[in-house]
Amino acid sequence: MITGAVHSWDLATAVDGPGTRFVLFLGGCPLRCRYCHNPETWRMRDSTRRSVEEVVAEIAKYRRFIEVAGGGFTVSGGEPLLQPDFVEQLLREVKALGMHTALDTSGYLGAWATDELLADTDLVLLDIKSWDSDTYREVTGGQIEPTLTFARRLDAIGKPMWVRFVLVPGLTDDPGNVEGIATFVAGLSTVERVEVLPFHKLGALKYAALGIPFPLADTPTPSPELLDRVRAQFRDAGNAVH
């Protein structure tokens, strides 16, 4: 029996894929994004072991409601690809229920996603956190190239993508950094939309509760003018922006 480290789940609308979604948050993440608003999901040991059967049984309770709402199932994190065997079987079982499936990932562990896992994934929500490699390292502690390689692989197999970019003043907002992502994404034929997500501090209380300093406590949220400029850069490159 395959089990996974499950942190929590929720029903969400229009933020984790189309329609109303059953969103499963898994524990464990190899990155430490400075703006992460779910620090409680960083470590697998802080989550609960659940079997695929247990999770699918919970999802099935909401199947009819989700179908009527034009939604589906999204596996998120943490980073779901840190548990590829669990995610692969889970997606297979959910697809057997006839539900739309989505994978929410940074792409950093994209090489861990098997062809079988991706075959049962209808949509990939891909977070491209920066284009400039130094900025990416500053934002996440990791490297950008695995995400770009994964994006190219998804494009090559015709997998639909929604690309997400978190806009942080003074960190990810450099025009050249935005232009790099916008141009790269515009060259991918299966990207259906780009979501420019403004940085927020809604997770600050979680950091305080965990006794962890919030790295961007003094960083302002993006102004409307900055948001307009960045969204315009993505549109001008030929992307559909939401």
Side-chain angles (χ1 to χ4, degrees):
M1 178 184 296
I2 296 179
T3 64
V6 174
H7 179 268
S8 58
W9 63 268
D10 197 5
L11 291 177
T13 302
V15 292
D16 294 287
T20 298
R21 319 287 299 179
F22 185 107
V23 184
L24 186 73
F25 298 96
L26 300 186
C29 185
L31 302 178
R32 290 295 179 268
C33 298
R34 298 183 68 189
Y35 50 69
C36 179
H37 59 277
N38 290 319
E40 73 279 13
T41 67
W42 286 348
R43 302 184 303 185
M44 294 177 69
R45 66 175 178 267
D46 293 332
S47 300
T48 303
R49 302 301 303 188
R50 300 289 188 192
S51 69
V52 170
E53 291 76 13
E54 287 178 303
V55 175
V56 172
E58 190 67 35
I59 296 169
K61 295 177 184 177
Y62 302 91
R63 176 183 175 186
R64 180 58 182 159
F65 169 74
I66 289 172
E67 286 178 347
V68 171
F73 168 72
T74 299
V75 59
S76 186
E79 171 52 64
L81 291 181
L82 195 60
Q83 305 180 63
D85 293 341
F86 178 73
V87 171
E88 179 179 328
Q89 183 172 335
L90 181 60
L91 289 170
R92 183 182 307 122
E93 296 295 330
V94 174
K95 282 296 291 181
L97 294 176
M99 295 177 65
H100 181 275
T101 58
L103 171 70
D104 182 6
T105 176
S106 70
Y108 187 69
L109 299 179
W112 293 24
T114 64
D115 291 343
E116 291 76 16
L117 184 155
L118 294 177
D120 287 319
T121 302
D122 295 314
L123 174 69
V124 175
L125 308 175
L126 184 64
D127 299 316
I128 302 184
K129 302 171 187 294
S130 177
W131 176 257
D132 177 78
S133 58
D134 291 337
T135 302
Y136 191 91
R137 189 176 301 109
E138 182 180 0
V139 171
T140 71
Q143 300 175 332
I144 180 58
E145 190 53 42
T147 295
L148 303 183
T149 298
F150 186 53
R152 295 186 188 103
R153 177 185 170 195
L154 294 173
D155 189 53
I157 64 174
K159 188 64 60 178
M161 288 179 269
W162 289 8
V163 169
R164 293 168 154 184
F165 169 68
V166 179
L167 176 60
V168 185
L171 187 60
T172 66
D173 61 341
D174 179 80
N177 187 46
V178 175
E179 188 65 29
I181 300 176
T183 301
F184 173 76
V185 171
L188 302 173
S189 61
T190 63
V191 173
E192 297 179 344
R193 62 196 281 178
V194 173
E195 297 180 336
V196 178
L197 307 176
F199 161 70
H200 61 72
K201 302 182 184 181
L202 298 180
L205 292 177
K206 297 180 181 179
Y207 282 82
L210 293 169
I212 304 172
F214 182 41
L216 301 181
D218 297 326
T219 300
T221 57
S223 66
E225 293 78 16
L226 179 57
L227 274 169
D228 287 345
R229 190 214 85 198
V230 171
R231 286 172 173 151
Q233 283 189 266
F234 276 100
R235 289 192 188 97
D236 290 347
N239 299 290
V241 180
H242 291 258

